[in-house]
Amino acid sequence: MEQDGRLLLSSSFGAAAAAYAEHRPDYAQAAVRWALEPAPGPRVLDLGAGTGKLTATLVALGAEVIAVEPDPAMLAELRRALPVVRALPGSAEAVPLQDASVDAVLAGHALHWFDMDVAGPEIARVLVPGGILAGLWNVIDNRVDWVAGLERVSGSAAIGPRDTLSSWRAETAGAHLPGTGLTARFGSPEQAEFPHGQRRTADSLVAALATRAGVLVMPGQEQEATLGRIRAFLASRPETARGEFTLPMLTGVLRVRRL
């Protein structure tokens, strides 16, 4: 049942691919640089690349990027936005690349969806020895009072533990670990956060939260109630009620080396 639930959630994004491309944030460049810092070369696989949010940051930093994404609608958005990038259909559990063909594998808001019993050996296969596996998550800074309030009214379907500064480390610390007998493929994890932020309006923030997997799979009436509750909260706060504001975020990175 747990596996079925994960598959349902992870496959929900294609229906909202255009909204995902428009409203989801990019990643702090400093975070991506840190993720790649120990990599032995410039060849990077963006795995579970979605609409190319992380891919675009990698391109801007001069990496040689290959993007792999299982959902056809998400992949189409990526190809439209980044036509110069080699973008392939595939998944973490069946990577369409040769052995030892990349220096780093990065996953933006995707590593927690992978079945690491299968994906772990695949990632180890395509990485060169000493290569880097890194997961990146944009997390809201719930040390800020109004952001903590937003977390409370949104519910875990819209803002889960991986999405907040206070809990993302604990929630993702073991996300890289494959099954029994394969943990020796990767070294000890390192985690770090990097300041980030995104200009928003109340409407665009609601639209972004509407692309969360937990919201996408809600029955229509429950989804409307959840988003309505978030709209009402944003309208009640002086920080967010009128015009643009900056959503305080950080990009969190989990980094491990292939042995």
Side-chain angles (χ1 to χ4, degrees):
M1 182 62 70
E2 182 180 345
Q3 177 73 0
D4 290 343
R6 184 173 64 182
L7 288 172
L8 174 66
L9 290 168
S10 65
S11 63
S12 66
F13 297 110
Y20 193 107
E22 181 178 358
H23 296 296
R24 283 292 186 107
D26 60 3
Y27 295 85
Q29 286 197 357
V32 181
R33 287 193 191 97
W34 186 82
L36 295 175
E37 186 179 44
R43 301 169 300 170
V44 181
L45 168 60
D46 183 0
L47 190 54
T51 63
K53 294 293 183 178
L54 178 57
T55 314
T57 305
L58 288 164
V59 169
L61 292 175
E64 298 174 11
V65 190
I66 300 170
V68 169
E69 166 59 36
D71 188 280
M74 301 287 273
L75 186 61
E77 287 289 337
L78 189 158
R79 287 171 167 164
R80 180 190 60 78
L82 299 165
V84 300
V85 171
R86 183 185 175 198
L88 305 174
S91 68
E93 295 78 19
V95 181
L97 298 180
Q98 296 179 346
D99 295 359
S101 57
V102 295
D103 301 296
V105 174
L106 268 59
H109 271 280
L111 193 62
H112 54 277
W113 297 124
F114 300 167
D115 177 358
M116 288 303 289
D117 285 346
V118 182
E122 273 290 272
I123 292 168
R125 178 183 65 79
V126 301
L127 275 172
V128 299
I132 294 299
L133 167 63
L136 295 91
W137 292 266
N138 283 318
V139 299
I140 59 171
D141 189 348
N142 56 355
R143 296 172 299 185
V144 178
D145 181 64
W146 77 262
V147 177
L150 175 65
E151 178 189 3
R152 287 192 296 271
V153 302
S154 297
S156 60
I159 299 178
R162 281 187 306 268
D163 302 318
T164 63
L165 178 62
S166 62
S167 57
W168 87 270
R169 283 186 174 236
E171 289 293 318
T172 63
H176 69 291
L177 292 175
T180 303
L182 292 166
T183 54
R185 300 277 187 99
F186 297 98
S188 299
E190 301 173 272
Q191 291 174 297
E193 300 105 8
F194 298 84
H196 198 24
Q198 189 181 36
R199 295 296 289 170
R200 293 289 197 187
T201 64
D203 286 343
S204 72
L205 180 50
V206 171
L209 293 174
T211 68
R212 298 284 185 173
V215 178
L216 288 171
V217 301
M218 281 180 176
Q221 191 171 5
E222 183 182 355
Q223 185 184 94
E224 289 178 13
T226 298
L227 297 178
R229 193 166 62 244
I230 295 169
R231 285 192 192 94
F233 172 80
L234 294 173
S236 74
R237 295 291 306 208
E239 302 92 341
T240 58
R242 288 180 293 275
E244 287 194 340
F245 55 90
T246 297
L247 176 64
M249 295 190 304
L250 299 95
T251 298
V253 186
L254 170 73
R255 181 179 75 182
V256 292
R257 185 187 295 273
R258 187 208 189 284
L259 301 176

